[in-house]
């Protein structure tokens, strides 16, 4: 039963997450909340690992989640669930696109998908910032400035600013910065 649920959850994610790996993040956050398979901290770790390893972020996260929940077979099932909608849609589009590529309705649909994918990616970016920078939910009504060290992950914020400044000044390859960030994150537990 767990394999069927993995497949369905990731099939729906693959079907509706238009815009690539970052667009899957709101769906993945929802899956974690609804299923209890992972929490926000684990999701942040999954994002870091997925962004640091070769391959598409959504695929890496589906594989990781599936493996975490159902072992090797779970990883395979979750990955297949995520890519199945894309394969089906690409096959359908390849078959009919030449007939309809000048159709005003098709052009309208494609134009309408652009802001949708942009919004999904924006939501994902905000979600990543929340995961990385904030330790807990913020209550604006009772906000006290002395609580900032308890709410904001100051180490992560400081590290991010320093890393950004160093990257702007240096000519090192981005892979160097990924490796350095990973090592520092592990050592300092950021």
């Amino acid at each position: 039963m767990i394999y069927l649920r993995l497949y369905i959850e990731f099939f729906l994610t693959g079907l509706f997450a238009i815009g690539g790996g970052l667009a899957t993040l709101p769906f993945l956050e929802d899956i974690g909340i609804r299923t209890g398979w992972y929490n926000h901290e684990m999701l942040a770790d999954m994002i870091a690992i997925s962004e640091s390893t070769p391959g598409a972020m959504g695929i890496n996260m589906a594989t990781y989640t599936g493996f975490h929940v159902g072992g090797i077979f779970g990883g395979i099932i979750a990955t297949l669930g995520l890519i199945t909608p894309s394969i089906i849609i690409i096959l359908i589009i390849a078959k009919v696109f030449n007939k309809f590529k000048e159709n005003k309705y098709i052009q309208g649909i494609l134009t309408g998908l652009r802001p949708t994918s942009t919004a999904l990616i924006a939501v994902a970016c905000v979600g990543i910032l929340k995961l990385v920078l904030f330790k807990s939910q913020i209550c604006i009504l009772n906000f006290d400035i002395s609580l900032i060290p308890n709410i904001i992950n100051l180490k992560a914020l400081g590290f991010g600013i320093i890393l950004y400044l160093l990257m702007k000044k240096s000519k090192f390859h981005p892979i160097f910065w990924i490796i350095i960030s990973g090592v520092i994150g592990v050592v300092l537990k950021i």
Side-chain angles (χ1 to χ4, degrees), residues 20-85:
L22 285 176
T24 63
L25 289 180
F27 296 96
L28 293 171
E29 185 174 15
D30 180 61
I31 290 171
I33 291 168
R34 283 186 298 101
T35 63
W37 290 339
Y38 47 85
N39 58 27
H40 288 296
E41 187 175 296
M42 291 171 69
L43 182 61
D45 290 342
M46 287 173 22
I47 293 167
I49 292 167
S50 294
E51 284 290 312
S52 302
T53 55
M57 184 174 156
I59 300 291
N60 289 349
M61 292 181 74
T63 305
Y64 177 85
T65 302
F67 180 76
H68 175 71
V69 172
I72 292 173
F73 191 62
I76 293 168
I77 292 295
T79 303
L80 288 174
L82 188 72
I83 65 171
T84 301

